[in-house]
Amino acid sequence: MSSEQTCSRLDFAFARFLGGRSALSGAQREALEALAAHLSAQQASGHSCIRVDRGAKDLLRASGLLSDSATAPLVLERDRLYTQRYWHYEQQLATQIKRLCALHFEAGDSTALIDRYFPVSGDRPDWQKLAAEKALTQAFCIITGGPGTGKTTTVVKILGLLQALAERPLHIALAAPTGKAAMRLQESIGASKPGLPCAEQIKDHIPEKVTTIHHLLGAQPPSPYFRHDAASPLPFDLLVIDEASMIDLALMSKLLDALKPGARLILLGDKDQLASVESGAVLADLTASLPDHTVELRKSHRFQGEIKALAEAVNRQQGERAWELLRQESSSTALLAGDLVTFIAAQYRRYLQLIAEGADFKRVLAEFSRFQALCSNRNGPRSVSDINHRVEQRLAEQGDIQPHGRWYVGRPVMVSENNAAMQLYNGDIGLCLADAESGQLRVYFLRPDGGVKTVLPGRLPRCETVYAMTIHKSQGSEFDQVLLVLAEQLNPVLTKELLYTGITRARSLVRVMASKSVFIEAVEQKVMRDSGLTAKLMLADEPAC
């Protein structure tokens, strides 16, 4: 595919900037600029680097844009080309992970204690118990697994074990990439703690409050820097991060940079889900390159039946089998029959009725969260923008909503940028309702601690209507029912990871709207991101060249 088809104006501007500062001219400069534009475009698509051949290496060495200086714009490492910034993030993260992996702890004679927390079961092997055994002795541990495999239950038991074995109570922090994911983790921990086989004093030292990673690190917008870094590390002895597949290369590097010396890190996540929106596929790279520090939980305790079978078929790239499961239309998996907009509008009828009846916010939010339309694409036919516009129009025609301008009672919105000052973050869902006393429109948000935050619409950070959202944005969420809406034509976004992520958002029912050809082609398409992180972790030292 030509660069004209894949590169943006920003990519070309970056390329011209580098070309103008190179030692090349004529055809060589044009070739360098084409390479630089391709690098910029690939980084925007999630790759941290690109592969280059011998001819490109010779061109780069002649350009004068490579050097040992940290100010050099480009870095060539073996056959991988980076911008300086992404090479630094990757190099720094690899160094930090290696340092953590080298740190071990003594667990003493903890066999009886572990057996109390993980009683003998019929599972062979007991993956949850194995994860606990690793977490007691390793400073760095990854616990991965699909929905319902008990990642949160396992980590709560691990926290109890660590507190029971510690000479003094450990200072623990819990975090997730988004507010939604933080709320889910907080709810799960609160539900799991009472059942721990330990004294109340130990339970009291297991925190329930979960925050976003940006809030934990102390975001300082509009700067890309955080209050906590290597010079001002976090005060915690142990950090637990959920939904780690959503964390991009830059944020993971900054998170590891902020760990205090001797601290432990436990990552939770599903390695088969979508990688981060920004550059990198960090969790997948880490699980692939660090098997001794990774445990995959393989038994699902609540995710069974047709939804599990569909997710597994998609994950194994068995397109025909996955389509047949949908075509059979069971009680939990089906193809959508009928008009798309009519169906989606009908799902929100009860939600809008509750608002009209004056139901309290949490009850209204619970009904809204029962169903969610998830789209593969943001723009184009059958996209988020298309469906949100058409559903809003249909609800207005039916008299279910009375929009007078942008804001109206019942408008659901998703925050699309982080605002640390307001404690609102990208992905937070709010509902526009009338204040019971004044009648004034306000947007209501459920906070991770169970409280409710209200904001005047005019004070909100950038946000968008969310009768439908992208599958990317749904990560960290669960709904009783989901409708997956795929684009009419295959495109690079449609991958088996995207479908798997969308399917596993549903608790009880998945419907899909797609043609057979597009669905099967999407199952056969896998996310492939160029990265040097695995190589850096597996090699003792890999110098730039």
Side-chain angles (χ1 to χ4, degrees):
M1 189 175 289
S2 68
S3 60
E4 287 78 16
Q5 292 174 292
T6 60
C7 298
S8 68
R9 291 173 61 187
L10 184 61
D11 299 326
F12 287 121
F14 170 75
R16 287 192 298 271
F17 175 81
L18 289 186
R21 282 151 182 79
S22 73
L24 305 177
S25 61
Q28 282 191 317
R29 176 170 166 178
E30 290 179 4
L32 174 71
E33 290 184 1
L35 187 64
H38 178 56
L39 172 61
S40 179
Q42 290 297 91
Q43 287 186 337
S45 298
H47 304 270
S48 59
C49 59
I50 60 172
R51 302 280 175 165
V52 293
D53 58 21
R54 180 176 297 179
K57 290 181 183 181
D58 292 340
L59 182 71
L60 289 161
R61 293 188 181 107
S63 71
L65 299 176
L66 304 175
S67 76
D68 295 331
S69 168
T71 60
L74 300 176
V75 174
L76 179 62
E77 184 179 75
R78 296 181 182 266
D79 63 345
R80 298 186 295 273
L81 177 65
Y82 299 80
T83 57
Q84 177 71 236
R85 182 162 63 107
Y86 282 101
W87 179 85
H88 172 77
Y89 286 142
E90 196 174 272
Q91 183 71 19
Q92 182 76 358
L93 179 57
T95 300
Q96 294 156 336
I97 292 292
K98 286 181 181 180
R99 187 181 299 124
L100 266 181
C101 289
L103 181 61
H104 294 271
F105 297 90
E106 293 294 330
D109 186 10
S110 56
T111 303
L113 188 60
I114 293 174
D115 287 343
R116 192 201 315 165
Y117 278 78
F118 297 90
V120 176
S121 68
D123 299 339
R124 291 290 184 271
D126 187 335
W127 300 107
Q128 294 187 4
K129 187 174 184 178
L130 178 60
E133 290 169 348
K134 283 186 178 290
L136 291 189
T137 59
Q138 296 177 346
F140 180 58
C141 180
I142 303 170
I143 303 174
T144 185
T149 51
K151 295 185 292 294
T152 303
T153 301
T154 302
V155 84
V156 171
K157 291 182 179 181
I158 289 170
L159 298 183
L161 282 167
L162 288 171
Q163 291 289 24
L165 292 169
E167 294 180 0
R168 57 172 180 79
L170 298 175
H171 193 192
I172 299 171
L174 310 169
T178 67
K180 292 182 298 180
M183 279 191 284
R184 280 189 57 208
L185 179 60
Q186 185 160 300
E187 291 167 0
S188 297
I189 289 175
S192 298
K193 270 177 60 174
L196 290 179
C198 61
E200 290 300 318
Q201 183 179 8
I202 292 176
K203 294 179 186 179
D204 290 342
H205 291 300
I206 299 175
E208 291 184 27
K209 182 179 180 182
V210 184
T211 186
T212 64
I213 296 173
H214 282 80
H215 184 67
L216 176 77
L217 294 178
Q220 297 177 305
S223 117
Y225 302 107
F226 294 98
R227 186 170 67 253
H228 291 288
D229 54 20
S232 179
L234 294 163
F236 305 104
D237 303 307
L238 168 62
L239 184 57
V240 177
I241 304 294
D242 197 13
E243 297 291 351
S245 65
M246 300 172 66
I247 306 175
D248 61 81
L249 176 63
L251 183 58
M252 187 67 85
S253 178
K254 293 174 182 179
L255 178 67
L256 270 288
D257 202 36
L259 286 181
K260 75 175 184 179
R264 301 172 186 250
L265 175 65
I266 299 175
L267 298 181
L268 308 176
D270 186 343
K271 64 180 178 58
D272 295 318
Q273 278 190 193
L274 280 166
S276 59
V277 175
E278 303 297 331
S279 291
V282 177
L283 184 64
D285 286 346
L286 293 177
T287 56
S289 53
L290 300 171
D292 291 341
H293 292 264
T294 301
V295 177
E296 181 178 359
L297 307 184
R298 302 178 186 182
K299 180 179 179 180
S300 181
H301 300 275
R302 63 168 174 80
F303 193 63
Q304 303 291 339
E306 291 86 356
I307 296 179
K308 181 181 180 182
L310 178 62
E312 288 180 345
V314 167
N315 200 33
R316 294 170 182 165
Q317 296 188 280
Q318 299 169 342
E320 289 288 350
R321 169 165 168 72
W323 182 259
E324 184 61 23
L325 287 169
L326 289 170
R327 195 186 65 79
Q328 290 172 0
E329 298 195 4
S330 71
S331 60
S332 54
T333 59
L335 293 167
L336 178 66
D339 180 70
L340 172 66
V341 174
T342 300
F343 175 80
I344 295 175
Q347 303 307 306
Y348 291 113
R349 186 163 297 141
R350 179 57 181 160
Y351 155 71
L352 294 168
Q353 285 176 348
L354 287 175
I355 294 175
E357 293 168 4
D360 68 85
F361 165 69
K362 290 186 178 181
R363 186 180 173 197
V364 171
L365 179 63
E367 174 58 30
F368 176 80
S369 302
R370 178 190 62 80
F371 165 84
Q372 186 63 59
L374 305 177
C375 302
S376 61
N377 292 75
R378 285 192 57 81
N379 298 299
R382 299 209 312 220
S383 67
V384 165
S385 59
D386 174 48
I387 290 174
N388 278 322
H389 172 72
R390 291 165 62 195
V391 169
E392 194 170 60
Q393 191 174 50
R394 177 67 61 83
L395 292 173
E397 290 170 355
Q398 294 173 176
D400 294 317
I401 60 173
Q402 288 81 41
H404 300 289
R406 185 182 178 203
W407 291 99
Y408 56 87
V409 171
R411 183 190 180 200
V413 295
M414 174 184 283
V415 175
S416 54
E417 66 179 9
N418 294 324
N419 188 313
M422 298 185 71
Q423 295 187 25
L424 291 174
Y425 299 94
N426 190 356
D428 286 353
I429 299 286
L431 304 179
C432 184
L433 305 172
D435 181 80
E437 295 182 3
S438 67
Q440 186 179 37
L441 292 183
R442 303 186 71 91
V443 183
Y444 291 70
F445 295 87
L446 184 64
R447 307 313 303 150
D449 62 2
V452 178
K453 180 182 182 68
T454 66
V455 184
L456 291 171
R459 296 191 60 235
L460 277 179
R462 189 170 67 243
C463 60
E464 55 196 40
T465 303
V466 70
Y467 294 111
M469 69 174 72
T470 62
I471 296 173
H472 269 96
K473 288 285 191 179
S474 73
Q475 287 181 273
S477 299
E478 280 188 346
F479 309 94
D480 288 339
Q481 301 179 19
V482 300
L483 168 64
L484 301 188
V485 184
L486 307 190
E488 295 175 343
Q489 303 293 330
L490 186 70
N491 60 67
V493 167
L494 284 166
T495 63
K496 68 109 169 175
E497 289 86 359
L498 186 88
L499 296 183
Y500 173 85
T501 301
I503 291 164
T504 55
R505 298 310 91 203
R507 297 188 188 97
S508 60
L509 176 59
V510 177
R511 290 185 180 89
V512 176
M513 183 173 194
S515 68
K516 179 179 179 180
S517 61
V518 167
F519 180 85
I520 291 178
E521 287 179 302
V523 172
E524 294 172 350
Q525 190 161 262
K526 179 177 171 61
V527 170
M528 299 296 292
R529 287 190 170 180
D530 281 325
S531 160
L533 182 59
T534 297
K536 287 181 173 69
L537 289 169
M538 296 180 73
L539 295 177
D541 190 20
E542 186 176 85
C545 59

